[in-house]
Amino acid sequence: MPLSERIRKLAEKFSGPSAEHSEQQTPPALPPRGEADSSEPPHQPLPAAVKRHSDAADPRLPWSVSDPRALLGGRVGTNSYPVNRRLVGASVACKPVPTNAWWQNLVLEQGDHPVVTTPYIVKCLDSAVVVCAPKPLVQETYVNSIWCDDWRVHIEGCSGHSVAAFDSLSATVEYRGEATAATVPLVRGAPYITVVFDSPALLSLSTVHAIIGVDGSHGSGSAVVRLNSGSTWLVTCDSPVELQQNGMSALVSSAPVVGAVRLALVSDGESPQALAALLSAKDTIPVGGAIDVTSNDDEAVFTVDWITQGSGPSDRLLMCALPHHQMALTDACWVDDVGKYWTSMGHVRAIRGSQWRWTETIEPLGFSGQNRLSAEDRAVLLEFVHADASSLPEDCSVLPQDPYFFGKAVARAMRIALIADEVGDAASCGLAVERAKSWLAPWVDGSNSDFLVYDDEWKGMVSTRGMTDPAADFGQGRYNDHHFHYGYFIYAAAALAKLCPEWLEEPGRREFFDLLARDYCDISDADEHFPFMRCFEFYEGHSIASGLFPFGDSRNQESTSEAINAYYAAFLYAQVTGRSQIAHYVRAILQLEARSSRVYWHLGDLTSDIYPDAFAKAQAVVGILWSSKADYTTWFGNNPEYIYGIQFLPYTPAMALLLKRQWVADIWPKFLEKVARDSETESWREMINLTYAVVDKEATKERTIKVTEHDDGNSASNSYYWIATV
C-alpha cells in the first residue's frame, strides 16, 4: 500500500467529526463591536476523574445526540456560503466540516490562502505546495510574519487539491490528476514539510532565492541546499535519486521519485549539529495526532500521541513545541542542536519522541467568587442588587435583537440574580430570574426577529440574518465568535438551572440550550450533528474566533476573556445539569485556554520573551492574535481602553484565572492607570479599573463606586461583587 494511502487511512481513522504577507487580505467590513447561595463554597468538587480523548479513540459522553432538525421543527436552513466540495474531500464532507480550524483557509474560496503549520507557513496551490520559513517584521503595534516563497514543490498534472482527512493536530491534503497523485500531511509542529508522491514523477523544486550550493554527500536522495538569503535547507527523498541544481533557483531529481519528499530549514547559516539531528528523523514522518485528556478536581493531564509513518522508528520523531508547551511538558527529550525556529508566537523548540504529556493545575472555580463576602460588602450589595434588578426592563423588545448583545444582556440579568441569591435578597433574585426567563422565551421558541436556526450545510446554530448576510451579527452566519455569543446564553442557562431548575426542564428548553453548548463545545464524536470542539485549537492551546473568512494572516482570536467565559459557562452548565464527565473535560479546556491566554496575550505575565522588545515593551496586551501575527488593535477601534478592556470583560469569577495580582501590579503604573484615566467613556474606564481589584480592593472600590454608565454586560452589583470576592 503506498505511503500516502496509509496516511489517508490513519488520518481518517483519527479524524474527529468534528508580512506583512505579500498577499495579505483586507478583512470584510463588519459592524463595530463596542460596548454596545450564601453558604455555598466558592468551589464545588466534581465527581471522580474521567478520561476523554479529542479523537475517535473511545466513546465520549456527548451533551446529546438528538437531531436538531427534529428539535427545531422548521427552524432549519442551508447556509448561503456552501461547503466547497472541490476543496473538501468526500470522507470529510460526510461529517460535520470544521468552521474554525487552523487549516480552514484550505477549504475557503480557492483554497490557496496560507495556513500556519508551525514553524512554517504553507500555501496549497493546484499545481504546487509553497513553503515559507517566516521572518519577523516588528513594529510597536504588531509583530508580523514576512511571507516569502522559500520553496515550491511542483505537482504537475493535477486537477486540484482537497482536504482528504483531518484530526485535532493535522490536515491531509490530497492532489489527484491523470498521471500524478500526491498527498501532503500538514501536521502542527513538524520541522519538515512532507509531500508524498504515489506515482513516479520527476521532482522539481524552485525558490525565489538564488541557490549558491548543493551538497549531496549526506546519503542517497538527500541534499543540503544553501540559499543566498543566508538559510540552509535539507531536502530528502525516499527514492535513491541525485538532486541537482537546475539554473539559478531550481532543484530537480535525476530520476522520477516515489514516496516521501521532505524539506526542512536547517538554520540561518551552517549548523552541522542541526543537520545531524534533522537527518536522524528524516524517515519518521508525522501524519497526525491524538489528544488524551484526564481530569479531576485538582489537575488535568494532556497527552499527545503523534501518529507516524515511514521506515524510521516512532521514537526518532522530531517535532517542535510552542512556548506554552515548553513551560509544561514533562519528561521531554529536547533537541536543542536543531536550534529555535522563529514564529510569531515565539521561538519553538525541537523535541524528540512520539508522545508529549503535561499537566494543568485546576484552580478552584464555581458560581461564587474566590472569597466570601464580608457583612459590610453584603450590605452594600443588597442596595445594588435591588436597584439593578428593578431596572431590568419587562419589555424584551427594547433589548438587543442580535445574539451577541442579547447574550450579554441576559447573562447580566442572571449575574444580578446569582448575586442577589448569595446576599439573601429573594425578591430581587426572583425578579431578575423572571426577567431572564421572559427574555429568553422568544429565542427558545423562535418567535424573535433574528431567531437561531440549524445550518444543515456546516452543521451549527446560526442567526437568521447570518444565514444570508456574511456581515450580520459580527459574521455569525459564517461562524465568527460562536463561543463568545453562545457562552453568554449558556451562562444564563446555567444560572437558571441553579436557581430555577424546573424552568429548564420544561419541554424544549434544555434541548435548546444543549444545542448551543453542542455548537461551540461538543466534546464527543458520537454527536454527528456538530463538529468536535468547534473553536478550540489543541496545538496552540486556545480558541479560534474567526470562521469562514479567508485571511492572509490565517486564523485569529480577539477576546480571550470572552473565550474563557464561554468554557466557564459550559463547565457550570454541565455541572449543574448533572453531566460531571463533560464538566471535567470542559474544565480542563478552560484551564488550558486561560494559561495560553496569559502566555500569548499578556505581555510579561507568565513569560517576557515571546515577542521582540519593540512590541512587548510598548504595551501589555495583544489585541488580536493571528496564526502569523500579533496585533495591538481590535476589530472595533484602536482606543487603548478597547484593546485592554476586550481582554478583561465580562467580570465573572472565571476572570480570576486570567487576571493575576503580580501581572496587574506590574502593568498598572506602566499602562493601565493611564489607559483608565484617558478613556473616552465611563463604561470602558470601569473595565480597566476593575483589574486593579486583584491588587487593592479598597482603592478599586473608590474608583468605581460612583460609576453610573456600565458596559452593557455589566452592572453595579457585578462590579462590586467582583471587587469584594476576587
Side-chain angles (χ1 to χ4, degrees), residues 304-498:
V304 175
D305 286 298
W306 297 105
I307 307 161
T308 64
Q309 281 292 300
S311 60
S314 62
D315 61 5
R316 300 305 296 167
L317 178 67
L318 201 63
M319 299 296 285
C320 295
L322 283 166
H324 77 284
H325 299 131
Q326 297 168 36
M327 296 173 186
L329 283 169
T330 56
D331 301 321
C333 180
W334 300 110
V335 187
D336 289 329
D337 285 345
V338 172
K340 292 186 176 182
Y341 294 98
W342 181 86
T343 79
S344 60
M345 294 179 67
H347 286 88
V348 297
R349 190 179 180 191
I351 181 173
R352 179 87 68 188
S354 61
Q355 186 178 86
W356 295 4
R357 180 175 287 113
W358 75 90
T359 299
E360 302 291 336
T361 300
I362 301 297
E363 300 176 57
L365 187 64
F367 279 100
S368 300
Q370 299 295 308
N371 297 294
R372 298 187 185 279
L373 291 166
S374 68
E376 180 182 352
D377 288 333
R378 286 178 181 273
V380 174
L381 281 168
L382 281 168
E383 294 185 22
F384 280 150
V385 295
H386 175 74
D388 285 338
S390 299
S391 69
L392 296 172
E394 182 176 4
D395 181 5
C396 62
S397 68
V398 303
L399 298 171
Q401 298 302 301
D402 68 283
Y404 176 68
F405 285 112
F406 173 83
K408 291 183 70 174
V410 73
R412 173 183 182 271
M414 288 311 300
R415 281 295 298 146
I416 294 167
L418 285 168
I419 297 167
D421 178 64
E422 189 167 335
V423 300
D425 185 346
S428 294
C429 175
L431 178 58
V433 165
E434 289 305 311
R435 291 288 186 263
K437 286 158 55 176
S438 67
W439 297 354
L440 282 165
W443 290 85
V444 174
D445 64 28
S447 60
N448 59 309
S449 61
D450 195 19
F451 59 87
L452 301 178
V453 301
Y454 180 69
D455 173 16
D456 210 14
E457 182 74 0
W458 291 94
K459 311 304 182 189
M461 297 293 292
V462 301
S463 67
T464 302
R465 287 197 288 264
M467 284 286 277
T468 56
D469 181 356
D473 304 333
F474 309 109
Q476 221 263 4
R478 296 282 183 94
Y479 292 88
N480 279 0
D481 301 349
H482 273 214
H483 55 327
F484 300 164
H485 295 194
Y486 297 149
Y488 287 113
F489 279 78
I490 295 301
Y491 181 84
L496 279 166
K498 180 179 189 294

Side-chain angles (χ1 to χ4, degrees), residues 19 41 47 57 131 150 298 350 358 394 415 422 579 602 670 675 720:
V131 181
D150 285 316
D298 302 315
W358 75 90
E394 182 176 4
R415 281 295 298 146
E422 189 167 335
R579 291 176 275 199
H602 288 192
K670 297 176 185 176
V675 171
Y720 194 91

